[in-house]
Amino acid sequence: SLRLQQPQEQLVLTAGQTITLSCTISGEGPPGPVEWLKDWGTENKTIYAQTSSSPRVTRVVNGSNVDFSIQIRDVHPEDAGTYYCVKFMRTVGHGGGLQVFQHGKGTVVSVHAKPTQPVVSGPGRRAGTGASVSFTCESGGFFPKDISVRWLKNQAPISAQQPRVRPGQTNSSYTMSSTVTLALVPQDVRSQLVCEVQHPTLPAPLRGTYQLREALRVAPSLRLLPGSSSVEVNKTLTLTCRVEGFYPRALALSWLEGGRELRVENTSRVVQTPQGLFQLSSLLEVQATEDRNGSAFTCRVVHDGQDPISSTVTLWVAVPGKE
């Protein structure tokens, strides 16, 4: 009588390895092939048959009538499942079908897989200082399910919600996402956010980084000097508009006299401060003619496409001998 032995109950592999599934047959049985099936019942898939098998699947001992072990190389997470060594017998009748004569207990295969490099994403648009902003870290393709995430801001741990872990495209791997919410401050122009992922398959954590300046807007402060001005007729007054402490660099500055825009040649270059923010000064030379007495001069700034901010000074022209 025929004895089919499939001794392995469970195998745990890492993606990319080669798996050997053992099956031996002794004694005599009815005519019919020996095949390997993955899973049982309606979901089953033929993994190895004499006539057909995937290029990754080979017999350990070619042509043997005793050893029906197979090897599957470069295993993927999708290869996880239960494998059965099955002896079929040919049925008589037209067409000559096959029916199961004997099968092994099944070998449960699980494939451990490393998570992908974590990717940290921020908001779709910049937020001002003081705003609460959410950042998300995502990684996928891993098995088993247990994974831990640690967030760091400038190397100091910060608290975050528990990661959400869901089945991936195939049920044999998982994806995770973790979110952290921060209130942004001007100093964050130099801050780095790190998401660290730890998993049983990893010798050291994987890290995804995000530069907080990508999400940050620091609005400028505006100073117009001198604050008030009384000038003798026909003298020249120099007005200075100082725009300080802004990020990002995108900034448009204009001068207006009584609401009408002036053409100004000498807007200075934008310079970066040691703190990583930007500043700029613009000079306007005004000829103090009599008809300009009481005129309002405005420095107007549009930063990063936001609403304009402005500062205004009124010019008083003193004519000697006229009180």
Side-chain angles (χ1 to χ4, degrees):
S1 68
L2 180 135
R3 267 189 77 204
L4 183 152
Q5 283 179 301
Q6 184 185 349
Q8 299 149 303
E9 286 177 27
Q10 224 175 358
L11 291 173
V12 176
L13 291 105
T14 303
Q17 288 184 322
T18 297
I19 176 178
T20 301
L21 294 166
S22 305
C23 177
T24 53
I25 289 181
S26 54
E28 285 298 310
V34 175
E35 296 182 359
W36 280 89
L37 302 186
K38 181 183 168 198
D39 303 323
W40 199 256
T42 52
E43 295 293 294
N44 80 51
K45 225 166 87 191
T46 303
I47 295 300
Y48 175 83
Q50 260 129 343
T51 50
S52 67
S53 69
S54 124
R56 292 192 295 130
V57 181
T58 49
R59 284 206 38 196
V60 174
V61 186
N62 267 331
S64 168
N65 293 328
V66 181
D67 189 338
F68 290 92
S69 307
I70 57 167
Q71 275 188 341
I72 306 173
R73 52 190 180 75
D74 184 24
V75 296
H76 311 330
E78 300 82 85
D79 292 326
T82 307
Y83 289 77
Y84 296 89
C85 180
V86 184
K87 164 72 179 167
F88 288 94
M89 65 184 218
R90 289 203 167 82
T91 55
V92 203
H94 62 280
L98 291 176
Q99 81 185 45
V100 174
F101 177 72
Q102 210 176 332
H103 67 82
K105 293 192 296 287
T107 302
V108 178
V109 171
S110 41
V111 179
H112 284 194
K114 291 178 180 178
T116 54
Q117 188 69 37
V119 174
V120 182
S121 54
R125 55 175 59 140
R126 292 181 187 277
T129 51
S132 276
V133 179
S134 291
F135 300 88
T136 301
C137 175
E138 292 177 303
S139 170
F142 56 90
F143 191 89
K145 188 177 181 173
D146 34 302
I147 194 161
S148 66
V149 179
R150 199 165 76 112
W151 285 90
L152 305 158
K153 178 181 166 183
N154 300 335
Q155 298 173 356
I158 49 177
S159 65
Q161 303 156 7
Q162 278 299 308
R164 288 176 52 218
V165 179
R166 303 185 299 288
Q169 270 90 5
T170 62
N171 282 342
S172 43
S173 73
Y174 292 92
T175 66
M176 83 82 204
S177 90
S178 170
T179 300
V180 71
T181 304
L182 293 177
L184 298 176
V185 293
Q187 294 79 356
D188 286 335
V189 75
R190 290 277 167 84
S191 294
Q192 179 172 267
L193 199 54
V194 171
C195 164
E196 243 185 27
V197 170
Q198 200 34 299
H199 186 258
T201 56
L202 296 173
L206 289 175
R207 309 180 75 171
T209 59
Y210 185 94
Q211 307 303 329
L212 283 180
R213 62 171 176 266
E214 303 293 334
L216 178 69
R217 181 188 311 108
V218 185
S221 62
L222 208 57
R223 284 195 297 163
L224 189 47
L225 305 169
S228 69
S229 49
S230 177
V231 185
E232 278 187 35
V233 71
N234 294 334
K235 289 270 168 69
T236 300
L237 171 71
T238 301
L239 295 174
T240 304
C241 183
R242 298 181 108 166
V243 190
E244 295 176 328
F246 58 93
Y247 192 90
R249 191 182 183 128
L251 182 118
L253 181 145
S254 50
W255 285 96
L256 301 98
E257 179 177 0
R260 198 174 44 87
E261 193 162 335
L262 300 170
R263 288 198 53 193
V264 179
E265 300 305 321
N266 81 348
T267 297
S268 76
R269 310 182 286 119
V270 175
V271 293
Q272 195 165 21
T273 68
Q275 292 74 39
L277 301 173
F278 292 102
Q279 63 186 31
L280 161 154
S281 328
S282 175
L283 305 181
L284 177 69
E285 294 193 340
V286 177
Q287 200 68 33
T289 54
E290 247 183 276
D291 61 344
R292 272 181 154 162
N293 189 25
S295 279
F297 290 88
T298 301
C299 171
R300 188 176 68 179
V301 166
V302 175
H303 176 240
D304 193 42
Q306 301 304 293
D307 289 343
I309 58 170
S310 60
S311 182
T312 300
V313 65
T314 304
L315 176 68
W316 302 110
V317 178
V319 180
K322 276 195 183 176
E323 277 307 324

